[in-house]
Amino acid sequence: MKQNNEQMGPDYFRLYLIGHLRDHWFPQYTDKRFIEERTEAAYDKFTEMRKDGHDVPIAQEMAMRILLEGIYVSRYDIIYNVVEENLWTRLPDYLWHKCTLHFLTLPEIHAVLDRYQVNGDFLSRETHWPMLLELLGLISEILDGYGLQ
C-alpha cells in the first residue's frame, strides 16, 4: 500500500510500535514513555528525511530503523522459534504459544538468554546458533521432566 505524508504521522508510528511490542511480547508494551519517545524519534526522522528531499519509502525505512532499534526480535520470538522449528513432533501446534509463555517464566531459560546477551542485534552474531542449540537442549530436558516424550 502506498503511503503519503499525511498517513505517516506520529499515530502511524505509535500504532505500529504498539502492535510490534504486543505481537512479540516485549516488556516495553506497557511503557508509555518508551512508546512516546520512540514514536517522536521515528516521526522526527521521517520528517527530517522528507525535508531533505527523500522519497516517502526511504524516509519511512529510516524512521522504522529508529522505531525498532534493539527490539527486532524478542525473547518470546526466540523461544517460540525453538519450539516451532525443533519440537513440533513433541508438542502440538496449539500448545506452542502457551509453552513459550511458560518457558519464559523459568529462570534457567532467562539465564541462557542473559548469557548470550539477547537483544535486537544478536541474530547477526556468531553466538546465535550455539545459543539456539543450548536452548533446545534445555527445553528438551524440561519437557522430559514433565514426561513429554
Side-chain angles (χ1 to χ4, degrees):
M1 180 169 113
K2 187 175 181 180
Q3 301 285 340
N4 63 34
N5 287 341
E6 291 75 34
Q7 292 173 311
M8 288 285 132
D11 286 342
Y12 171 84
F13 295 108
R14 183 179 301 102
L15 291 174
Y16 188 95
L17 179 60
I18 290 170
H20 180 77
L21 295 171
R22 177 197 62 230
D23 294 347
H24 298 274
W25 295 81
F26 280 100
Q28 296 94 326
Y29 176 65
T30 58
D31 187 341
K32 292 181 189 308
R33 183 175 176 189
F34 174 84
I35 292 168
E36 287 310 309
E37 287 173 357
R38 282 295 178 95
T39 298
E40 289 176 26
Y43 183 67
D44 289 348
K45 184 63 169 181
F46 177 80
T47 56
E48 173 191 324
M49 296 290 291
R50 291 295 291 143
K51 285 178 186 175
D52 289 346
H54 296 281
D55 292 333
V56 170
I58 301 296
Q60 181 183 10
E61 176 64 26
M62 298 308 291
M64 293 305 266
R65 288 181 185 189
I66 289 172
L67 190 70
L68 300 176
E69 183 180 354
I71 55 170
Y72 292 108
V73 177
S74 67
R75 289 175 175 227
Y76 173 88
D77 294 328
I78 294 162
I79 301 302
Y80 188 90
N81 183 59
V82 168
V83 169
E84 178 184 40
E85 295 292 321
N86 301 289
L87 300 169
W88 57 272
T89 59
R90 293 184 74 178
L91 294 169
D93 59 353
Y94 65 87
L95 288 179
W96 295 349
H97 169 71
K98 286 185 179 185
C99 286
T100 299
L101 293 177
H102 170 69
F103 293 139
L104 286 171
T105 66
L106 304 175
E108 56 266 36
I109 296 289
H110 284 283
V112 172
L113 296 170
D114 291 343
R115 189 168 53 257
Y116 286 95
Q117 300 174 348
V118 170
N119 63 32
D121 71 348
F122 86 98
L123 289 175
S124 62
R125 293 188 223 144
E126 294 176 7
T127 58
H128 176 238
W129 291 110
M131 181 204 60
L132 290 179
L133 290 174
E134 188 173 342
L135 284 170
L136 176 58
L138 178 58
I139 290 171
S140 293
E141 287 177 16
I142 293 167
L143 292 175
D144 290 348
Y146 294 156
L148 296 171
Q149 303 298 324

